[in-house]
């Protein structure tokens, strides 16, 4: 018999594993990846799989995954206006028209390299919901902030700012990606205990902004050097509901191993007895 769990109801949250390809893969490379990956992912219904190629490869991805409900396509960013004089930008309306399902918002690379603020990210989150795109909202602290004991402060500021005016219903349809900046692309993963602590904190902050029921239903992904070898241990944590994967998502076999490891760890998690919250 597994440990009694009092703090969550795992059956409410379907794991979600997303591939963040960043500035990698042309349309032909996207087709090559998906040709292999979709053979592997024929039966992945227990996990939501999301592929986020660069804008120019969205069409190629969408054309290949039609009629596969458990694999969805995401953009990596967008503007908040539906159209206008914004040279170089892509709008939520454009993404919706193409049948893109998700959009990654507020990634730390957008924040640090392109100067995105919580106020700007908030406009994008609201616009995403308006156009029925599901946001994957990224939050996370730098090593300096962690070492200075500011984890809670940073996550509270980012979540409060990015989620302003988001309704409880919209919140449930928002995926949070907790990505410690020091673990992104560095090969240095947070330990499972560090991930669980931060995820529980994120859920606590959402409880404060909304209510316990809303917070219990929000899916929180971990991101930062996720690999086939560490996915299982991360996913076994009660508040870890999936992963946002960069480097290890670029190769179809390795990304599929991550999806499988998440599905297996979640099956074990589901077998733990559940007590109603508050007991
Ligand atoms: P990584 O990137 O898996 O390469 O660390 C994760 C991310 O930035 O989303």
């Amino acid at each position: 018999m597994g440990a009694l769990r009092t703090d969550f109801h795992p059956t409410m949250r379907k794991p979600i594993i997303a591939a963040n390809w960043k500035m990698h893969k042309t349309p032909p490379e996207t087709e090559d990846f998906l040709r292999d990956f979709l053979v592997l992912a024929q039966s992945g219904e227990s996990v939501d799989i999301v592929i986020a190629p660069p804008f120019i490869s969205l069409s190629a991805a969408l054309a290949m995954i039609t009629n596969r409900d458990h694999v969805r396509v995401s953009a990596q960013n967008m503007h908040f206006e539906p159209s206008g004089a914004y040279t170089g930008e892509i709008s939520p309306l454009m993404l919706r028209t193409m049948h893109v399902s998700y959009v990654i918002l507020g990634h730390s690379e957008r924040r640090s390299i392109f100067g995105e603020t919580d106020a700007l990210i908030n406009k994008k989150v609201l616009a995403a919901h308006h156009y029925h795109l599901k946001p994957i909202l990224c939050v996370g602290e730098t090593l300096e902030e962690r070492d200075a004991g500011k984890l809670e402060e940073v996550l509270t500021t980012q979540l409060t700012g990015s989620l302003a005016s988001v309704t409880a219903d919209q919140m449930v349809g928002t995926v949070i990606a907790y990505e410690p900046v020091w673990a992104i692309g560095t090969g240095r993963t947070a330990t499972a205990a560090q991930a669980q602590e931060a995820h529980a904190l994120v859920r606590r902050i959402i409880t404060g902004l909304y209510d316990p029921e809303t917070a219990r239903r929000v899916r929180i992904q971990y991101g930062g050097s996720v690999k086939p070898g560490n996915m299982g241990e991360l996913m076994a944590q009660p508040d870890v509901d999936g992963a946002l994967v960069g480097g290890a998502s670029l190769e179809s076999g390795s990304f599929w191993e991550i999806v499988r490891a998440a599905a297996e760890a979640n099956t074990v998690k589901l077998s733990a007895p559940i007590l109603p919250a508050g007991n």
Side-chain angles (χ1 to χ4, degrees):
M1 198 165 119
L4 292 180
R5 301 221 188 274
T6 59
D7 51 347
F8 81 118
H9 194 306
T11 53
M12 282 178 177
R13 302 197 297 264
K14 187 175 180 188
I16 176 165
I17 307 294
N20 175 13
W21 286 353
K22 309 192 181 188
M23 202 167 68
H24 297 285
K25 293 200 192 291
T26 60
E29 288 166 346
T30 299
E31 285 163 10
D32 286 348
F33 175 99
L34 285 172
R35 206 170 288 120
D36 295 341
F37 183 75
L38 292 174
V39 171
L40 299 169
Q42 270 168 2
S43 58
E45 298 81 9
S46 63
V47 176
D48 284 336
I49 301 169
V50 178
I51 309 282
F55 286 127
I56 58 150
S57 297
L58 286 173
S59 288
L62 286 158
M64 288 190 74
I65 66 150
T66 41
N67 303 327
R68 285 184 175 82
D69 278 351
H70 65 294
V71 186
R72 296 282 177 177
V73 172
S74 175
Q76 298 175 14
N77 177 35
M78 64 175 201
H79 197 274
F80 55 87
E81 291 285 2
S83 63
Y86 300 103
T87 302
E89 291 292 303
I90 300 286
S91 88
L93 180 59
M94 291 169 176
L95 296 176
R96 187 64 244 165
T97 306
M98 290 180 78
H99 305 293
V100 167
S101 306
Y102 290 83
V103 58
I104 299 171
L105 295 175
H107 189 279
S108 69
E109 288 148 18
R110 302 281 338 154
R111 292 174 187 264
S112 67
I113 305 171
F114 301 99
E116 292 200 6
T117 60
D118 290 322
L120 176 68
I121 295 160
N122 179 233
K123 286 185 182 172
K124 296 184 179 195
V125 171
L126 292 170
H129 282 297
H130 185 78
Y131 289 98
H132 304 288
L133 297 159
K134 290 191 180 72
I136 298 177
L137 169 63
C138 304
V139 295
E141 82 290 359
T142 62
L143 191 56
E144 224 177 17
E145 289 164 339
R146 171 170 280 262
D147 288 346
K150 291 188 174 162
L151 176 64
E152 178 158 6
E153 185 187 321
V154 170
L155 294 180
T156 303
T157 302
Q158 290 178 342
L159 288 166
T160 308
S162 313
L163 293 169
S165 304
V166 170
T167 66
D169 276 355
Q170 290 171 336
M171 186 65 238
V172 171
T174 302
V175 176
I176 303 292
Y178 167 68
E179 300 206 308
V181 178
W182 45 272
I184 296 176
T186 59
R188 187 180 156 188
T189 328
T191 63
Q194 283 172 323
Q196 169 55 25
E197 184 198 12
H199 282 226
L201 186 52
V202 168
R203 215 177 287 290
R204 197 146 24 95
I205 295 165
I206 296 172
T207 301
L209 294 172
Y210 295 89
D211 56 85
E213 180 56 24
T214 300
R216 256 196 300 277
R217 291 170 64 192
V218 171
R219 295 188 290 182
I220 307 173
Q221 296 176 314
Y222 170 80
S225 299
V226 171
K227 301 179 272 288
N230 59 25
M231 182 73 258
E233 198 193 352
L234 288 160
M235 190 68 205
Q237 304 306 309
D239 285 294
V240 176
D241 307 311
L244 182 56
V245 188
S249 74
L250 291 170
E251 199 269 308
S252 55
S254 128
F255 188 53
W256 174 242
E257 286 305 311
I258 290 173
V259 171
R260 270 195 26 201
E264 279 170 27
N266 196 54
T267 307
V268 174
K269 203 152 89 168
L270 288 179
S271 66
I274 299 155
L275 291 178
N279 280 18

